[in-house]
Amino acid sequence: MDTLKNMLSPLGMNTNALQDTLKLVVIGGTVETARRISVSAWNGFVDSFFLTAHFSQEDYPYDWLMHWLSKQPAWGRSREFEITTRTVSRSGITQSTTGDLDEEDVDEDEDALIHGRKKRKVAFIPSLDTTHTIYYRGHWLRITRTKRYPDYGHGAALKISVVARSNDILKKLVLEAKREYEKDAEHRVHIFMADTTYACWRWNGARQKRPLSSIVLQPGVKDMLLADCKDFLASEDWYAERGIPFRRGYLLHGVPGSGKTSLIHSLAGELGLDIYVVSLSSKGMSDNTLTTLMSHVPSRCILLLEDLDAAFTRSVSRDSSSTGVPLGGTTTTNNESDGSTLSLSGLLNSLDGVAAAEGRLLFATTNHIERLDPALSRPGRMDVWVNFTHATRWQAEGIFKCFFPSKPKNPPVDSAETSSPADEKTDVSQKNLPVPKRKASGHTIPVLEEAEIAELAKRFADTIPENELSVASLQGYLLKNKLRPRECVDEVGEWVIQEREMREKLKKEKAEREAKEKKEAEEKERKEKEERLAKELEEKEIKEKLEKKERAKAKKVHRVEASLKLDSANSSTSNTVIGSSGPNTPTEVTLPAVVAAVKCESSSSSSESDSSNGGIEADTEESITSEEELEKPIGGSINVVTKEVGKEKWVAVKGQLEASD
């Protein structure tokens, strides 16, 4: 301070005021530095006792923790919260907390519909970017929920901190949340769709599980598929010991509407696996994109390739007239039409290449198996083939029994719900069915006796023609008559006749449309052929005229050269001719110059003839006239006369035969 005072004293400043200012600066800086150091030290000291776990929305633990937090009373009593009615989580499970607000006059039936929709509940959700405290097993948890990408509106993250010496408390928390989540979500199947823009998987929703007993196939097909899938999932070590890739493929082929996709949905629910759906004909699909998607597929899941026969077809038609190849008969794709550049080799490499995922169940559906390449449907890629046909009478009877269940033999005393048939009680798929919560309403399905249901199902099946109608059409008819089992059987004969008439009508309209399109295509092709022939004929005539003119020009030049040589040899005059470069100015022109002038005249006339097709005939006539002039005998002297027409000069060569004395 004394040194600084000595330095500033010669300036004549007020040293007392300056000293006070410097003292304040030094003291303030010291205090702020001490405060920051103390705060940093305290935060470091406190953080040394905290264990922090981070959860991202892109992974399953985030859903587990959010579902667990929704059940905590303290989570609903937060001091800072958001009010919303959108309480369905990504898993499809309704997240309701203890702080939710509902109407005071609550009806006994919570699922009652008001104007076609359920009553909305107002939920309280803790807000983002705030810290919330929850007491769990003797520890205080500090929970913070944030947005990873605020500009895009998605990508949430969760941070949980706890004061503990070991992370066992966080492990117990995650495992407990996982058990509760799986317990509440065991009745749903998660669907993931392929995003070709970013080459990643997007969660598409959670669907209610479908009981395997609701799928009516030929006897033994469901049991075979279920047993094969379970055996594969439990045979990873067996595959590894024998060096076989741990992959399994199933090809479901047959007529449309026969239950292929429904069977896959039911198997996914029975096995507890998620479904990853790939649309091979989607915009932006390429070999690299498909390879990236396949490499990111989880080890235990169902990979679904729908409509495999239409993967490389660039038309929207999937009927029998479709060939399964790109339009035009080539193997190249049209990027402007759909943006897909996927090739067959790229698909094969992604299915069982080096980077292909293992441990997944591959299901592929197709309506026309004959269009598939043998390399795609061979064993190793498609190990099990299942053929789906039109509905048989046996299937019709089974579908009817599924729609109209019979009374149980020993119904529970306090049960007001409709029960399943006796043969479905032993079905393994019934173990994972959700328990219905809705009370019986006035529009319930009439429950008949087992004997009557069997008789109605038999009558219904006898009326259905064998292998003529699809399973989807039968299901649609039963849905329209789900409250009328007896009337449904009485009217099925009339419905079959209507279906046949409708199919004949559609078939006739399709034939007429195809005939009209064929006729229009033939007419268009005929017109194009006529135009092409006319154009070729016109080009041929023009070519012949040009060739004729070129021959005439060549002949003209040849005769001029021959005449000049003959005149030079026989004439006793000088090898020089007198021309005229101007109106009255004589000019000496040698014989080579005359020949060059004639060639120049020929080339200039040729350029004039090429400028338009209309001048070809005129040039040809002019060349013929010049040939007639050249046929005149050429004498001992040649007069070369140059005339100027406009800006161009032309040379006229005239020969005169002198009579000998």
Side-chain angles (χ1 to χ4, degrees):
M1 185 62 67
D2 296 336
T3 305
L4 184 60
K5 180 179 178 181
N6 296 330
M7 292 176 60
L8 295 177
S9 57
L11 299 178
M13 298 177 61
N14 191 350
T15 56
N16 294 329
L18 184 60
Q19 289 179 1
D20 295 340
T21 303
L22 293 177
K23 288 179 181 179
L24 291 176
V25 171
V26 173
I27 294 173
T30 304
V31 172
E32 179 63 20
T33 303
R35 187 191 67 81
R36 293 187 179 185
I37 293 176
S38 61
V39 170
S40 178
W42 174 254
N43 291 336
F45 176 76
V46 173
D47 292 340
S48 63
F49 294 95
F50 274 92
L51 296 175
T52 304
H54 297 268
F55 303 90
S56 176
Q57 191 178 12
E58 285 77 12
D59 208 349
Y60 289 111
Y62 178 87
D63 297 330
W64 303 343
L65 269 299
M66 289 300 299
H67 181 66
W68 179 84
L69 289 172
S70 65
K71 294 185 176 183
Q72 305 303 316
W75 187 252
R77 295 193 300 266
S78 176
R79 303 290 295 178
E80 187 174 355
F81 50 84
E82 299 175 358
I83 300 178
T84 180
T85 58
R86 298 179 178 88
T87 57
V88 179
S89 64
R90 196 182 73 165
S91 61
I93 305 174
T94 302
Q95 293 181 349
S96 57
T97 63
T98 57
D100 291 350
L101 180 64
D102 200 355
E103 298 180 3
E104 296 180 358
D105 52 343
V106 181
D107 193 2
E108 293 182 358
D109 189 2
E110 296 180 356
D111 295 331
L113 300 179
I114 300 177
H115 300 293
R117 63 185 181 185
K118 296 182 180 180
K119 293 187 298 183
R120 292 179 177 176
K121 293 183 178 181
V122 180
F124 292 82
I125 300 179
S127 59
L128 297 171
D129 298 327
T130 55
T131 302
H132 311 280
T133 305
I134 293 179
Y135 188 77
Y136 173 73
R137 291 191 178 186
H139 297 79
W140 288 98
L141 304 179
R142 293 198 309 178
I143 303 172
T144 306
R145 189 165 59 96
T146 59
K147 282 283 187 181
R148 298 182 61 187
Y149 310 106
D151 297 336
Y152 299 97
H154 65 276
L158 194 68
K159 183 177 70 172
I160 299 179
S161 301
V162 60
V163 178
R165 298 179 60 87
S166 176
N167 57 2
D168 293 339
I169 186 64
L170 292 177
K171 293 180 181 178
K172 293 179 182 179
L173 174 63
V174 173
L175 293 178
E176 181 179 347
K178 179 178 181 293
R179 286 192 298 267
E180 293 187 5
Y181 177 87
E182 292 178 348
K183 181 180 178 180
D184 293 341
E186 65 179 353
H187 308 307
R188 294 185 176 272
V189 177
H190 297 271
I191 311 296
F192 294 86
M193 300 294 295
D195 187 352
T196 57
T197 304
Y198 300 100
C200 62
W201 296 100
R202 298 293 184 186
W203 183 82
N204 189 254
R207 307 292 185 266
Q208 193 76 18
K209 285 185 179 180
R210 181 168 182 173
L212 199 60
S213 59
S214 65
I215 308 297
V216 182
L217 300 177
Q218 295 298 328
V221 175
K222 293 188 300 182
D223 298 334
M224 181 271 295
L225 286 176
L226 183 60
D228 190 84
C229 292
K230 289 182 177 180
D231 178 72
F232 167 75
L233 295 175
S235 304
E236 184 174 2
D237 295 337
W238 186 90
Y239 277 80
E241 291 174 357
R242 287 154 181 82
I244 304 174
F246 187 50
R247 291 186 287 264
R248 191 74 170 169
Y250 301 87
L251 180 61
L252 310 183
H253 62 93
V255 296
S258 54
K260 296 185 287 294
T261 307
S262 300
L263 176 61
I264 297 172
H265 184 190
S266 181
L267 286 174
E270 180 64 26
L271 298 173
L273 303 178
D274 297 334
I275 300 178
Y276 289 75
V277 185
V278 179
S279 179
L280 299 178
S281 58
S282 60
K283 184 177 181 180
M285 182 63 70
S286 62
D287 295 344
N288 294 333
T289 302
L290 184 61
T291 302
T292 304
L293 289 171
M294 292 298 186
S295 62
H296 293 164
V297 172
S299 59
R300 300 300 175 109
C301 69
I302 289 180
L303 180 63
L304 175 58
L305 304 178
E306 288 188 317
D307 296 333
L308 196 60
D309 58 289
F312 307 102
T313 304
R314 296 300 173 252
S315 63
V316 296
S317 175
R318 286 170 45 215
D319 53 13
S320 57
S321 63
S322 181
T323 59
V325 296
L327 298 178
T330 60
T331 57
T332 58
T333 58
N334 189 359
N335 295 338
E336 297 180 358
S337 60
D338 57 5
S340 177
T341 59
L342 181 65
S343 62
L344 179 61
S345 60
L347 175 60
L348 298 179
N349 292 330
S350 63
L351 291 180
D352 60 354
V354 177
E358 294 190 353
R360 84 288 186 277
L361 296 173
L362 174 65
F363 280 85
T365 62
T366 178
N367 296 328
H368 304 281
I369 191 175
E370 67 278 1
R371 299 178 188 170
L372 298 183
D373 192 278
L376 184 60
S377 58
R378 68 165 177 81
R381 293 191 177 104
M382 302 297 170
D383 305 286
V384 181
W385 292 14
V386 181
N387 185 19
F388 287 75
T389 60
H390 286 299
T392 62
R393 290 190 174 92
W394 185 86
Q395 286 180 290
E397 183 177 356
I399 294 174
F400 187 89
K401 291 181 180 180
C402 288
F403 269 82
F404 304 103
S406 60
K407 292 181 180 179
K409 294 181 179 180
N410 297 318
V413 178
D414 56 346
S415 177
E417 305 292 334
T418 59
S419 60
S420 303
D423 56 344
E424 293 183 2
K425 291 183 178 180
T426 58
D427 198 335
V428 182
S429 63
Q430 299 296 317
K431 296 180 180 180
N432 293 331
L433 289 180
V435 179
K437 299 179 181 179
R438 184 174 301 175
K439 296 182 180 180
S441 60
H443 301 282
T444 56
I445 300 176
V447 181
L448 306 179
E449 296 292 339
E450 184 177 358
E452 186 177 1
I453 288 293
E455 181 184 357
L456 292 175
K458 183 66 176 176
R459 288 174 51 195
F460 179 80
D462 293 339
T463 312
I464 299 298
E466 188 78 15
N467 290 325
E468 184 176 340
L469 300 174
S470 64
V471 177
S473 61
L474 292 181
Q475 183 175 344
Y477 174 73
L478 293 175
L479 281 173
K480 291 189 298 184
N481 300 274
K482 62 182 179 180
L483 303 178
R484 306 164 61 245
R486 299 184 181 90
E487 295 82 353
C488 175
V489 177
D490 297 336
E491 299 172 1
V492 66
E494 182 180 355
W495 173 76
V496 171
I497 296 175
Q498 294 177 357
E499 283 292 313
R500 288 175 176 174
E501 293 177 353
M502 180 61 68
R503 285 188 303 171
E504 290 296 330
K505 181 180 178 181
L506 294 177
K507 185 177 180 180
K508 184 178 179 180
E509 292 178 354
K510 181 181 178 181
E512 293 177 354
R513 184 173 63 255
E514 291 179 352
K516 183 179 179 180
E517 293 176 355
K518 183 178 180 181
K519 184 178 179 180
E520 293 177 354
E522 291 177 354
E523 184 68 19
K524 183 178 180 181
E525 184 179 359
R526 183 181 63 80
K527 290 182 179 180
E528 291 178 353
K529 186 176 181 180
E530 291 178 355
E531 293 177 357
R532 185 169 62 254
L533 291 176
K535 187 176 181 180
E536 291 178 356
L537 182 60
E538 183 180 358
E539 291 177 354
K540 185 177 180 181
E541 292 178 355
I542 294 174
K543 185 177 180 180
E544 290 178 354
K545 290 179 181 179
L546 290 175
E547 291 179 353
K548 186 176 181 181
K549 181 173 177 57
E550 291 295 332
R551 288 195 301 268
K553 291 177 183 178
K555 187 175 181 181
K556 175 182 176 182
V557 174
H558 178 70
R559 288 185 177 181
V560 170
E561 292 179 352
S563 300
L564 292 177
K565 289 181 181 180
L566 180 62
D567 181 74
S568 176
N570 298 329
S571 178
S572 59
T573 61
S574 174
N575 195 19
T576 306
V577 295
I578 305 299
S580 177
S581 60
N584 300 317
T585 305
T587 306
E588 292 186 359
V589 182
T590 59
L591 290 178
V594 174
V595 177
V598 174
K599 291 184 179 181
C600 179
E601 179 187 359
S602 301
S603 62
S604 63
S605 61
S606 175
S607 62
E608 293 175 358
S609 63
D610 293 340
S611 61
S612 62
N613 294 333
I616 294 176
E617 297 180 357
D619 293 339
T620 306
E621 294 177 357
E622 181 182 354
S623 62
I624 294 173
T625 305
S626 62
E627 290 178 10
E628 293 176 354
E629 294 178 356
L630 289 174
E631 288 179 356
K632 296 179 181 181
I634 301 176
S637 65
I638 299 177
N639 295 329
V640 180
V641 181
T642 61
K643 294 182 179 181
E644 184 174 356
V645 181
K647 295 182 179 181
E648 298 181 355
K649 292 182 180 181
W650 58 277
V651 180
V653 181
K654 297 182 179 180
Q656 181 180 2
L657 180 61
E658 297 179 356
S660 59
D661 295 338

